[in-house]
Amino acid sequence: MAGYEYVSSEQLAGFDKYKYSAVDTNPLSLYVMHPFWNTIVKVFPTWLAPNLITFSGFLLVVFNFLLLAYFDPDFYASAPGHKHVPGWVWIVVGILNFVAYTLDGVDGKQARRTNSSTPLGELFDHGLDSWACVYFVVTVYSIFGRGSSGVSVFVLYLLLWIVLFSFILSHWEKYNTGVLFLPWGYDISQVTISFVYIVTAIVGVEAWYEPFLFNFLYRDLFTTMIIGCALCVTVPMSLLNFYRSYKNNTLKHSSVYEALVPFFSPCLLFILSTAWILQSPSDILEMHPRVFYFMVGTAFANITCQLIVCQMSNTRCPTLNWLLLPLFLIVMVVNLGVTSYTESILLYSLTTAFTLAHIHYGVRVVKQLSSHFQIYPFSLRKPNSD
């Protein structure tokens, strides 16, 4: 597996023909963030590789996840009667979240500024974004947590899936239309949550116990905003963009089956992971919510990365992802009945396997494309300039 090549020769040929095409109509992005990023990018030296900026932003998101995993391992820290997360942690998380968001906004501008834009850069950016989804959502959960003042781990599981499907919807659009329509929810959520982290440090988590309006709690507002953004903005706009492409005869896939193939693996992942939760003899999600979320998010990221490779190279998306096979087998074993200890071992083993497999996939794809385009992924220096 060490030298396995995930990107086929057909896909490499497709990358050679690739042209970036994206549409951003979000007022917050257009009139506030882009002018801000245009100013910030000038601070970076011209020798700094855009992919290094992208990766640095991703590492900050991972750091936030790990920091709150230390102070709030089981999501009870924000509940009444429990030891709360220190205020300084919320300040750090809020600042780093906004910095990570800023780096994600300026990496493309740095690439154009240094004339170093490549398909690898876009793939690297969006691939890390797909994995960042689970880190971001799970970190936000610590603001409310579970218990009487928060939301249940199963509700958060469903909210995580809403975010994941909202993310993959944009790349499903591009797979079918050839254009990446940037979602409105991303910019709004990043700015809002960064602000909420700082506010939490000032007023304390106790402030979120109080009703927002009448008997409508802040946790209900949090849930409603995620669901409302998906149902009222993300999904309608995605379907509208797809319909416009259909009316203009610019769809890349003529059959309904081929158009929907990218949804097969994520839907099966949802079905299998939900079946595990519902059939679990030891209530696995209640026991290990953070690990279970991470397992699902990592498998989702791998599925999404393969879709991104296909839509950028104009090749067919695989019908099923091989990571679903071990998940299916474990769900079957759990259904037959296992001890709590055995089920925990199965979850941790599967999560480890998914993580290593996804890292291996990412490293190999980056190496393949770097070799193909004759570039260094984290340097502006060309290999033949040594």
Side-chain angles (χ1 to χ4, degrees):
M1 285 289 288
Y4 186 81
E5 295 187 345
Y6 292 99
V7 184
S8 67
S9 56
E10 178 189 5
Q11 289 174 328
L12 289 174
F15 274 110
D16 288 332
K17 303 172 185 176
Y18 177 74
K19 299 294 183 183
Y20 179 69
S21 179
V23 176
D24 189 356
T25 58
N26 184 359
L28 174 62
S29 175
L30 292 175
Y31 302 113
V32 179
M33 299 316 303
H34 276 293
F36 173 68
W37 294 332
N38 287 333
T39 301
I40 293 298
V41 74
K42 296 175 183 177
V43 176
F44 294 114
T46 53
W47 51 259
L48 184 61
N51 288 342
L52 195 56
I53 297 176
T54 304
F55 193 56
S56 298
F58 174 73
L59 290 180
L60 293 181
V61 174
V62 175
F63 178 80
N64 278 350
F65 174 85
L66 295 176
L67 183 63
L68 279 172
Y70 176 79
F71 285 100
D72 184 24
D74 53 8
F75 302 111
Y76 277 117
S78 292
H82 289 74
K83 183 179 180 181
H84 298 326
V85 174
W88 68 265
V89 173
W90 293 119
I91 294 176
V92 170
V93 170
I95 293 173
L96 293 187
N97 188 81
F98 188 78
V99 171
Y101 167 56
T102 300
L103 294 179
D104 191 42
V106 303
D107 53 4
K109 295 182 182 297
Q110 176 75 349
R112 290 183 286 275
R113 178 174 175 240
T114 56
N115 196 29
S116 58
S117 298
T118 64
L120 172 59
E122 181 182 344
L123 175 61
F124 191 69
D125 185 4
H126 295 160
L128 289 180
D129 285 345
S130 69
W131 205 6
C133 285
V134 66
Y135 293 107
F136 173 71
V137 173
V138 175
T139 301
V140 171
Y141 185 31
S142 287
I143 295 176
F144 303 97
R146 51 179 168 172
S148 59
S149 62
V151 298
S152 71
V153 290
F154 186 71
V155 169
L156 195 279
Y157 167 77
L158 297 178
L159 294 178
L160 171 62
W161 268 110
I162 291 175
V163 173
L164 296 181
F165 269 111
S166 296
F167 181 88
I168 204 171
L169 204 55
S170 296
H171 294 285
W172 170 78
E173 283 181 69
K174 189 173 182 181
Y175 179 75
N176 284 284
T177 67
V179 180
L180 179 64
F181 298 92
L182 301 175
W184 283 28
Y186 174 69
D187 297 285
I188 296 172
S189 64
Q190 292 294 325
V191 173
T192 301
I193 292 301
S194 297
F195 176 74
V196 170
Y197 283 138
I198 302 299
V199 171
T200 302
I202 298 172
V203 303
V205 295
E206 296 86 354
W208 308 125
Y209 300 165
E210 302 300 322
F212 168 70
L213 183 66
F214 302 113
N215 292 323
F216 194 69
L217 301 177
Y218 280 99
R219 66 180 183 188
D220 303 319
L221 177 64
F222 166 69
T223 303
T224 302
M225 286 180 64
I226 293 178
I227 298 174
C229 183
L231 295 180
C232 300
V233 181
T234 304
V235 173
M237 290 185 68
S238 182
L239 294 177
L240 177 61
N241 293 330
F242 183 87
Y243 176 74
R244 285 173 175 169
S245 185
Y246 167 76
K247 292 293 289 184
N248 295 330
N249 293 319
T250 57
L251 285 178
K252 300 171 70 175
H253 305 281
S254 56
S255 73
V256 175
Y257 175 83
E258 289 298 332
L260 295 178
V261 162
F263 287 136
F264 291 176
S265 285
C267 284
L268 187 54
L269 174 62
F270 172 74
I271 292 171
L272 291 174
S273 57
T274 304
W276 187 352
I277 293 171
L278 299 179
Q279 296 174 4
S280 172
S282 61
D283 208 349
I284 193 69
L285 187 61
E286 287 287 340
M287 287 181 59
H288 306 289
R290 190 177 292 272
V291 179
F292 198 93
Y293 296 148
F294 183 72
M295 179 273 292
V296 170
T298 302
F300 171 85
N302 190 263
I303 291 170
T304 305
C305 284
Q306 293 191 32
L307 169 60
I308 296 172
V309 168
C310 292
Q311 52 103 330
M312 291 183 66
S313 61
N314 198 27
T315 53
R316 187 180 185 277
C317 180
T319 305
L320 295 175
N321 186 292
W322 73 268
L323 293 182
L324 297 174
L325 178 58
L327 176 59
F328 171 78
L329 295 176
I330 287 180
V331 171
M332 292 299 101
V333 170
V334 169
N335 189 45
L336 295 175
V338 294
T339 65
S340 174
Y341 176 77
T342 300
E343 189 173 12
S344 297
I345 292 297
L346 288 174
L347 173 61
Y348 276 85
S349 298
L350 185 66
T351 303
T352 301
F354 278 6
T355 303
L356 294 176
H358 186 53
I359 292 175
H360 183 268
Y361 175 84
V363 170
R364 290 304 306 166
V365 168
V366 169
K367 284 187 175 181
Q368 270 192 270
L369 291 179
S370 298
S371 176
H372 180 73
F373 289 109
Q374 296 186 329
I375 57 174
Y376 288 121
F378 297 111
S379 173
L380 297 180
R381 193 162 46 95
K382 298 289 184 180
N384 58 7
S385 65
D386 294 337

